[in-house]
Amino acid sequence: MHPVEAFLNDLIHEIALVSAQLKSKPKIARLHLGGGTPTLLSGEQMARLLEAIDQHFTRTSDCEFSVKIDPTEAADDVLDILAERGMTRASIGVQDFAPKVQVAIGRVQSFQQTQAVVDRLRAGGVESLNVDLLYGLPFQTLETLLTTLDQVHSLSPDRMALYGYAHVPHMSKRQRLIATDSLPNTLQRFEAAQLAKHRLQDLGYLPVGIDHFSLETDSLAAAAQLGTLRRNFQGYTDDPCATLIGFGASAISRYRQGFVQNAVATAAYQMHIREGRLSGHKGYVLTPEDAFIADALDQLMCQGSINGKTLAVSHPAYADTVQQIFQDLQFTFPRALERSDETMNLKSGMEQLARVVAAHIDTALQAEHVHRVAI
């Protein structure tokens, strides 16, 4: 049996196994096919997968159904099946349209190829489009980055994500072929991110969180304005549900009590499923302190600030810890953060440091004391 067909069979079996553990047929408000390249499936295989999902789960009337699509391998019949089965949002990875950059990263994907996929999806009734871009790529220049942004804008996406390229050759064989002198330095990366941010804002996109941009009419922009924006393993979302169920090898599920990750290795995942067992390989039960830290980091990553008053109300046992955190942050990041009454805010232009600040908070609190280290 072909490996893709075998994996699909196991995935459908896992959906049935999880469903059997539930007391009733749950409703889902968000359905996302991603984690890899789901458009690798054939039209018939995609139809089977969606039939299995709908057999065991009920989509709400306003369910957002998004799919990660690779324009270089998405066959027309797959795109048609997705549109027919209710896909509402397409998520397309672009990274950069400059040919030299694409060759360096091993992802050759023309603008015309991408536009053809977008046109077919829209002809099928899929109106919402999300595009993922990267800065800091090998051989990428400010000029090529701006050109890519303008090309993507011509596709009229309502959301864009702008991530920093992570060069980790020890984890990626492909990246070992990339010469380090082809990569921008830290200052150049910062300049590229700032330039891209300003261009997107000039094009009418509002900053959402630390790395997303959306039109004012998009639900993410509304959530950011209302303070209801959240972040989970799929990125930023306006979905208030605390439960996220993941299927497939290495998939992570989030429950109110904590996290569970499926076996990472495909062979181990398939062994569990074929034996009729759930594939959870490891998990973590959240403590009250974990919940407090998670809420603080969620505020920082979603709103760019931490509200000490709301944290103290939600987690009264950690009211004193909030003030301790604020004092430490003022000492450690004086150029990146500013305090205003009961909030600690990232200064304008310092959004890229949100992850650094979040990692510092997490490390300090997990160690049960606040470090006094100025940087």
Side-chain angles (χ1 to χ4, degrees):
M1 183 181 294
H2 192 278
V4 173
E5 180 70 15
F7 186 84
L8 175 63
N9 290 340
D10 293 326
L11 188 60
I12 291 174
H13 189 192
E14 183 191 14
I15 292 171
L17 287 173
V18 171
S19 175
Q21 301 295 315
L22 305 174
K23 294 182 179 180
S24 60
K25 189 176 181 180
K27 293 182 179 181
I28 51 175
R30 300 290 188 278
L31 171 61
H32 178 69
L33 304 185
T37 51
T39 46
L40 182 66
L41 298 177
S42 67
E44 184 274 333
Q45 290 172 328
M46 182 64 73
R48 284 180 55 209
L49 175 59
L50 294 176
E51 286 169 4
I53 293 172
D54 289 334
Q55 178 185 350
H56 297 284
F57 296 88
T58 299
R59 297 190 225 176
T60 61
S61 59
D62 59 347
C63 177
E64 181 178 285
F65 174 22
S66 60
V67 183
K68 183 178 179 182
I69 293 175
D70 183 348
T72 66
E73 65 179 18
D76 288 346
D77 63 333
V78 176
L79 298 178
D80 293 343
I81 286 291
L82 289 170
E84 291 170 7
R85 298 302 179 91
M87 180 171 68
T88 58
R89 179 179 298 280
S91 180
I92 296 180
V94 168
Q95 300 187 8
D96 192 298
F97 278 127
K100 188 174 183 179
V101 174
Q102 291 187 347
V103 170
I105 62 178
R107 185 186 176 92
V108 178
Q109 172 186 329
S110 70
F111 172 75
Q112 292 72 21
Q113 191 175 31
T114 305
Q115 186 175 41
V117 168
V118 172
D119 290 344
R120 189 174 188 93
L121 288 169
R122 290 211 163 113
V126 181
E127 298 181 355
S128 296
L129 176 66
N130 175 78
V131 176
D132 292 340
L133 302 164
L134 292 179
Y135 66 87
L137 290 165
F139 301 112
Q140 186 183 59
T141 66
L142 297 180
E143 182 180 1
T144 62
L145 177 58
L146 290 178
T147 298
T148 293
L149 290 175
D150 290 341
Q151 288 177 299
V152 169
H153 178 245
S154 71
L155 300 174
S156 300
D158 41 358
R159 292 182 193 174
M160 292 193 213
L162 181 66
Y163 303 116
Y165 167 72
H167 190 62
V168 285
H170 62 284
M171 297 178 62
S172 170
K173 292 183 179 180
R174 175 71 200 180
Q175 289 188 357
R176 295 172 195 168
L177 303 176
I178 298 175
T180 54
D181 60 4
S182 70
L183 297 168
N185 58 37
T186 301
L187 184 60
Q188 291 170 326
R189 283 172 61 94
F190 182 80
E191 183 181 10
Q194 291 298 102
L195 183 67
K197 174 185 174 181
H198 294 314
R199 173 57 66 90
L200 289 174
Q201 288 180 296
D202 289 342
L203 292 173
Y205 291 88
L206 302 177
V208 175
I210 62 173
D211 48 26
H212 279 54
F213 299 83
S214 67
L215 296 177
E216 188 176 7
T217 54
D218 185 70
S219 61
L220 277 191
Q225 294 292 328
L226 294 171
T228 58
L229 187 70
R230 296 180 60 250
R231 190 174 176 89
N232 59 26
F233 294 114
Q234 295 177 3
Y236 285 106
T237 179
D238 60 338
D239 181 15
C241 184
T243 301
L244 173 66
I245 302 177
F247 295 106
S250 79
I252 299 176
S253 297
R254 168 70 190 266
Y255 304 100
R256 295 182 185 278
Q257 301 90 337
F259 307 91
V260 176
Q261 183 176 26
N262 282 356
V264 175
T266 300
Y269 163 78
Q270 292 179 312
M271 180 185 69
H272 281 76
I273 299 302
R274 292 173 186 179
E275 291 176 352
R277 297 184 289 131
L278 296 179
S279 185
H281 178 66
K282 59 182 178 181
Y284 184 83
V285 177
L286 291 171
T287 66
E289 182 182 51
D290 293 329
F292 163 68
I293 296 173
D295 282 353
L297 301 190
D298 200 48
Q299 286 187 13
L300 178 67
M301 300 293 281
C302 294
Q303 306 301 330
S305 64
I306 300 175
N307 189 308
K309 186 175 182 179
T310 59
L311 276 179
V313 171
S314 301
H315 308 274
Y318 295 92
D320 292 339
T321 306
V322 173
Q323 299 307 315
Q324 188 181 22
I325 292 173
F326 281 8
Q327 291 175 13
D328 174 59
L329 291 178
Q330 281 185 299
F331 178 83
T332 310
F333 302 97
R335 297 183 180 181
L337 298 169
E338 58 185 358
R339 187 169 181 174
S340 175
D341 296 329
E342 293 294 329
T343 64
M344 182 65 70
N345 311 297
L346 281 168
K347 294 181 180 179
S348 178
M350 295 294 174
E351 293 83 5
Q352 289 174 264
L353 292 178
R355 285 191 177 91
V356 176
V357 176
H360 176 82
I361 294 172
D362 191 27
T363 301
L365 291 180
Q366 291 289 0
E368 296 184 354
H369 66 278
V370 177
H371 299 287
R372 286 282 183 180
V373 181
I375 63 172

